[in-house]
Short mmCIF file of all heavy atoms in Angstrom, two decimals:
data_model
loop_
_atom_site.label_atom_id
_atom_site.label_comp_id
_atom_site.label_asym_id
_atom_site.label_seq_id
_atom_site.Cartn_x
_atom_site.Cartn_y
_atom_site.Cartn_z
N THR A 174 0.84 -1.20 0.00
CA THR A 174 0.00 0.00 0.00
C THR A 174 0.87 1.25 0.00
O THR A 174 2.04 1.22 0.42
CB THR A 174 -0.91 0.02 1.25
OG1 THR A 174 -0.09 0.07 2.40
CG2 THR A 174 -1.79 -1.21 1.31
N ALA A 175 0.29 2.34 -0.45
CA ALA A 175 1.02 3.61 -0.48
C ALA A 175 1.39 4.08 0.92
O ALA A 175 2.45 4.68 1.14
CB ALA A 175 0.17 4.66 -1.20
N ALA A 176 0.50 3.78 1.89
CA ALA A 176 0.76 4.23 3.27
C ALA A 176 1.93 3.49 3.90
O ALA A 176 2.48 3.93 4.91
CB ALA A 176 -0.51 4.02 4.12
N ALA A 177 2.32 2.38 3.29
CA ALA A 177 3.40 1.58 3.87
C ALA A 177 4.74 2.30 3.83
O ALA A 177 5.66 1.97 4.59
CB ALA A 177 3.50 0.24 3.14
N ASP A 178 4.89 3.28 2.94
CA ASP A 178 6.17 3.98 2.81
C ASP A 178 6.54 4.74 4.07
O ASP A 178 7.73 4.96 4.34
CB ASP A 178 6.12 4.93 1.62
CG ASP A 178 5.94 4.18 0.30
OD1 ASP A 178 6.32 2.99 0.25
OD2 ASP A 178 5.41 4.79 -0.67
N SER A 179 5.53 5.18 4.82
CA SER A 179 5.80 5.98 6.02
C SER A 179 5.89 5.14 7.29
O SER A 179 6.05 5.66 8.39
CB SER A 179 4.69 7.03 6.20
OG SER A 179 3.43 6.39 6.34
N VAL A 180 5.80 3.84 7.14
CA VAL A 180 5.81 2.94 8.31
C VAL A 180 7.23 2.51 8.63
O VAL A 180 8.01 2.17 7.73
CB VAL A 180 4.92 1.71 8.05
CG1 VAL A 180 5.11 0.68 9.17
CG2 VAL A 180 3.46 2.12 7.95
N GLU A 181 7.58 2.52 9.90
CA GLU A 181 8.90 2.07 10.34
C GLU A 181 8.74 0.65 10.89
O GLU A 181 8.24 0.43 12.00
CB GLU A 181 9.45 3.00 11.42
CG GLU A 181 10.87 2.64 11.84
CD GLU A 181 11.42 3.59 12.90
OE1 GLU A 181 10.75 4.62 13.16
OE2 GLU A 181 12.48 3.29 13.46
N VAL A 182 9.16 -0.33 10.14
CA VAL A 182 9.04 -1.74 10.53
C VAL A 182 10.00 -2.05 11.67
O VAL A 182 11.16 -1.63 11.66
CB VAL A 182 9.33 -2.66 9.33
CG1 VAL A 182 9.30 -4.13 9.76
CG2 VAL A 182 8.35 -2.41 8.21
N GLY A 183 9.50 -2.78 12.68
CA GLY A 183 10.34 -3.19 13.81
C GLY A 183 10.55 -2.12 14.85
O GLY A 183 11.44 -2.25 15.70
N SER A 184 9.76 -1.07 14.83
CA SER A 184 9.94 0.02 15.81
C SER A 184 9.42 -0.35 17.19
O SER A 184 9.69 0.34 18.17
CB SER A 184 9.23 1.29 15.31
OG SER A 184 7.84 1.04 15.13
N VAL A 185 8.64 -1.43 17.27
CA VAL A 185 8.11 -1.89 18.56
C VAL A 185 8.81 -3.20 18.92
O VAL A 185 8.93 -4.10 18.08
CB VAL A 185 6.58 -2.10 18.47
CG1 VAL A 185 6.03 -2.55 19.83
CG2 VAL A 185 5.90 -0.82 18.01
N GLY A 186 9.25 -3.32 20.18
CA GLY A 186 10.02 -4.48 20.61
C GLY A 186 9.18 -5.71 20.90
O GLY A 186 7.94 -5.67 20.93
N PHE A 187 9.87 -6.81 21.15
CA PHE A 187 9.24 -8.11 21.36
C PHE A 187 8.25 -8.09 22.53
O PHE A 187 7.10 -8.52 22.41
CB PHE A 187 10.33 -9.17 21.60
CG PHE A 187 9.79 -10.55 21.87
CD1 PHE A 187 9.50 -11.42 20.83
CD2 PHE A 187 9.58 -10.99 23.18
CE1 PHE A 187 9.01 -12.69 21.08
CE2 PHE A 187 9.09 -12.26 23.44
CZ PHE A 187 8.80 -13.11 22.39
N TRP A 188 8.69 -7.60 23.69
CA TRP A 188 7.85 -7.65 24.89
C TRP A 188 6.66 -6.70 24.78
O TRP A 188 5.58 -7.00 25.29
CB TRP A 188 8.68 -7.33 26.13
CG TRP A 188 9.71 -8.37 26.40
CD1 TRP A 188 11.07 -8.24 26.28
CD2 TRP A 188 9.49 -9.73 26.79
NE1 TRP A 188 11.70 -9.42 26.57
CE2 TRP A 188 10.76 -10.36 26.89
CE3 TRP A 188 8.35 -10.49 27.06
CZ2 TRP A 188 10.91 -11.69 27.26
CZ3 TRP A 188 8.50 -11.82 27.42
CH2 TRP A 188 9.76 -12.41 27.52
N GLU A 189 6.85 -5.58 24.11
CA GLU A 189 5.72 -4.67 23.90
C GLU A 189 4.67 -5.31 23.00
O GLU A 189 3.46 -5.19 23.24
CB GLU A 189 6.21 -3.37 23.27
CG GLU A 189 7.12 -2.54 24.17
CD GLU A 189 7.71 -1.35 23.43
OE1 GLU A 189 7.07 -0.28 23.42
OE2 GLU A 189 8.80 -1.50 22.86
N VAL A 190 5.12 -6.02 21.98
CA VAL A 190 4.18 -6.71 21.09
C VAL A 190 3.47 -7.84 21.84
O VAL A 190 2.27 -8.05 21.68
CB VAL A 190 4.92 -7.26 19.85
CG1 VAL A 190 4.00 -8.15 19.02
CG2 VAL A 190 5.46 -6.11 19.02
N LEU A 191 4.22 -8.56 22.69
CA LEU A 191 3.61 -9.62 23.50
C LEU A 191 2.51 -9.06 24.39
O LEU A 191 1.44 -9.66 24.54
CB LEU A 191 4.68 -10.31 24.35
CG LEU A 191 4.19 -11.35 25.36
CD1 LEU A 191 3.54 -12.53 24.65
CD2 LEU A 191 5.34 -11.84 26.24
N ALA A 192 2.76 -7.89 24.99
CA ALA A 192 1.76 -7.26 25.85
C ALA A 192 0.50 -6.91 25.08
O ALA A 192 -0.62 -7.03 25.59
CB ALA A 192 2.34 -6.01 26.50
N VAL A 193 0.66 -6.49 23.82
CA VAL A 193 -0.51 -6.15 23.00
C VAL A 193 -1.26 -7.41 22.59
O VAL A 193 -2.50 -7.43 22.59
CB VAL A 193 -0.06 -5.36 21.74
CG1 VAL A 193 -1.22 -5.20 20.77
CG2 VAL A 193 0.48 -4.00 22.14
N PHE A 194 -0.53 -8.48 22.30
CA PHE A 194 -1.18 -9.69 21.80
C PHE A 194 -1.85 -10.50 22.91
O PHE A 194 -2.89 -11.12 22.68
CB PHE A 194 -0.15 -10.58 21.09
CG PHE A 194 -0.70 -11.91 20.66
CD1 PHE A 194 -1.45 -12.03 19.50
CD2 PHE A 194 -0.51 -13.05 21.44
CE1 PHE A 194 -1.99 -13.24 19.12
CE2 PHE A 194 -1.04 -14.27 21.07
CZ PHE A 194 -1.78 -14.36 19.90
N PHE A 195 -1.29 -10.51 24.10
CA PHE A 195 -1.74 -11.46 25.12
C PHE A 195 -3.24 -11.42 25.42
O PHE A 195 -3.84 -12.47 25.63
CB PHE A 195 -0.95 -11.26 26.42
CG PHE A 195 -1.20 -12.34 27.43
CD1 PHE A 195 -0.51 -13.54 27.36
CD2 PHE A 195 -2.15 -12.18 28.43
CE1 PHE A 195 -0.75 -14.55 28.27
CE2 PHE A 195 -2.40 -13.19 29.34
CZ PHE A 195 -1.69 -14.38 29.26
N PRO A 196 -3.89 -10.25 25.48
CA PRO A 196 -5.34 -10.27 25.75
C PRO A 196 -6.13 -11.13 24.76
O PRO A 196 -7.27 -11.51 25.05
CB PRO A 196 -5.73 -8.79 25.64
CG PRO A 196 -4.49 -8.05 26.01
CD PRO A 196 -3.37 -8.87 25.45
N ALA A 197 -5.54 -11.45 23.58
CA ALA A 197 -6.25 -12.27 22.60
C ALA A 197 -6.47 -13.70 23.08
O ALA A 197 -7.30 -14.41 22.53
CB ALA A 197 -5.47 -12.30 21.28
N VAL A 198 -5.72 -14.14 24.14
CA VAL A 198 -5.86 -15.53 24.60
C VAL A 198 -6.50 -15.60 25.98
O VAL A 198 -6.43 -16.64 26.65
CB VAL A 198 -4.48 -16.23 24.62
CG1 VAL A 198 -3.91 -16.32 23.24
CG2 VAL A 198 -3.52 -15.54 25.58
N THR A 199 -7.14 -14.53 26.42
CA THR A 199 -7.69 -14.51 27.78
C THR A 199 -9.20 -14.73 27.82
O THR A 199 -9.85 -14.33 28.78
CB THR A 199 -7.36 -13.16 28.47
OG1 THR A 199 -7.93 -12.09 27.68
CG2 THR A 199 -5.87 -12.96 28.58
N GLY A 200 -9.75 -15.36 26.81
CA GLY A 200 -11.20 -15.53 26.79
C GLY A 200 -11.70 -16.86 27.29
O GLY A 200 -12.86 -17.22 27.09
N ILE A 201 -10.83 -17.65 27.97
CA ILE A 201 -11.22 -19.00 28.33
C ILE A 201 -12.30 -19.07 29.40
O ILE A 201 -12.94 -20.09 29.57
CB ILE A 201 -10.00 -19.80 28.82
CG1 ILE A 201 -9.35 -19.12 30.04
CG2 ILE A 201 -9.00 -19.98 27.70
CD1 ILE A 201 -8.24 -19.94 30.67
N MET A 202 -12.53 -17.97 30.13
CA MET A 202 -13.51 -18.01 31.21
C MET A 202 -14.94 -17.86 30.73
O MET A 202 -15.87 -18.06 31.50
CB MET A 202 -13.21 -16.92 32.24
CG MET A 202 -11.91 -17.12 33.00
SD MET A 202 -11.77 -18.73 33.81
CE MET A 202 -13.17 -18.66 34.90
N SER A 203 -15.15 -17.50 29.48
CA SER A 203 -16.52 -17.29 29.00
C SER A 203 -17.37 -18.53 29.15
O SER A 203 -18.53 -18.47 29.53
CB SER A 203 -16.49 -16.84 27.54
OG SER A 203 -15.87 -15.58 27.42
N GLY A 204 -16.79 -19.68 28.83
CA GLY A 204 -17.53 -20.92 29.00
C GLY A 204 -17.61 -21.35 30.46
O GLY A 204 -18.64 -21.85 30.92
N VAL A 205 -16.53 -21.14 31.23
CA VAL A 205 -16.50 -21.53 32.64
C VAL A 205 -17.55 -20.77 33.43
O VAL A 205 -18.15 -21.31 34.37
CB VAL A 205 -15.09 -21.28 33.22
CG1 VAL A 205 -15.05 -21.61 34.71
CG2 VAL A 205 -14.06 -22.10 32.47
N ASN A 206 -17.79 -19.51 33.06
CA ASN A 206 -18.79 -18.71 33.77
C ASN A 206 -20.21 -19.26 33.62
O ASN A 206 -21.12 -18.83 34.33
CB ASN A 206 -18.74 -17.26 33.29
CG ASN A 206 -17.50 -16.55 33.77
OD1 ASN A 206 -16.96 -16.86 34.83
ND2 ASN A 206 -17.01 -15.60 32.99
N MET A 207 -20.41 -20.18 32.68
CA MET A 207 -21.71 -20.81 32.49
C MET A 207 -21.85 -22.07 33.33
O MET A 207 -22.72 -22.90 33.10
CB MET A 207 -21.92 -21.16 31.01
CG MET A 207 -21.77 -20.00 30.06
SD MET A 207 -22.98 -18.71 30.39
CE MET A 207 -24.49 -19.61 30.08
N SER A 208 -20.98 -22.24 34.32
CA SER A 208 -20.91 -23.49 35.07
C SER A 208 -22.24 -23.91 35.67
O SER A 208 -22.57 -25.09 35.71
CB SER A 208 -19.86 -23.35 36.19
OG SER A 208 -20.18 -22.25 37.04
N GLY A 209 -23.03 -22.94 36.13
CA GLY A 209 -24.31 -23.28 36.75
C GLY A 209 -25.33 -23.78 35.76
O GLY A 209 -26.36 -24.34 36.15
N ASP A 210 -25.10 -23.58 34.46
CA ASP A 210 -26.04 -24.01 33.44
C ASP A 210 -25.60 -25.30 32.74
O ASP A 210 -26.24 -25.72 31.78
CB ASP A 210 -26.21 -22.90 32.39
CG ASP A 210 -26.81 -21.64 32.99
OD1 ASP A 210 -28.03 -21.55 33.05
OD2 ASP A 210 -26.03 -20.78 33.43
N LEU A 211 -24.51 -25.87 33.20
CA LEU A 211 -24.00 -27.08 32.56
C LEU A 211 -24.58 -28.32 33.22
O LEU A 211 -24.73 -28.39 34.43
CB LEU A 211 -22.47 -27.11 32.66
CG LEU A 211 -21.72 -25.97 31.96
CD1 LEU A 211 -20.24 -26.03 32.31
CD2 LEU A 211 -21.92 -26.03 30.46
N LYS A 212 -24.86 -29.32 32.41
CA LYS A 212 -25.38 -30.58 32.93
C LYS A 212 -24.30 -31.35 33.68
O LYS A 212 -24.55 -31.94 34.73
CB LYS A 212 -25.93 -31.43 31.77
CG LYS A 212 -26.52 -32.76 32.20
CD LYS A 212 -27.02 -33.52 31.00
CE LYS A 212 -27.60 -34.88 31.41
NZ LYS A 212 -28.07 -35.66 30.25
N ASN A 213 -23.10 -31.33 33.16
CA ASN A 213 -21.99 -32.07 33.78
C ASN A 213 -20.74 -31.19 33.75
O ASN A 213 -19.85 -31.37 32.93
CB ASN A 213 -21.73 -33.37 33.02
CG ASN A 213 -20.70 -34.24 33.72
OD1 ASN A 213 -20.21 -33.91 34.80
ND2 ASN A 213 -20.37 -35.37 33.10
#
């Protein structure tokens, strides 16, 4: 894309990227919160 010319690739470090990504894997409790509605 034309906008890509102004982008600085790699300007954000590994741990900062990990911090941004991690909330993507924190949804496991959605099913657990339904515990009272589960048969088993």
Side-chain angles (χ1 to χ4, degrees):
T174 62
D178 296 336
S179 60
V180 171
E181 185 179 350
V182 176
S184 59
V185 181
F187 178 87
W188 294 110
E189 294 173 89
V190 172
L191 174 63
V193 171
F194 174 80
F195 190 83
V198 297
T199 59
I201 59 173
M202 293 306 300
S203 295
V205 177
N206 288 331
M207 304 299 298
S208 57
D210 297 273
L211 298 172
K212 181 180 179 181
N213 187 3

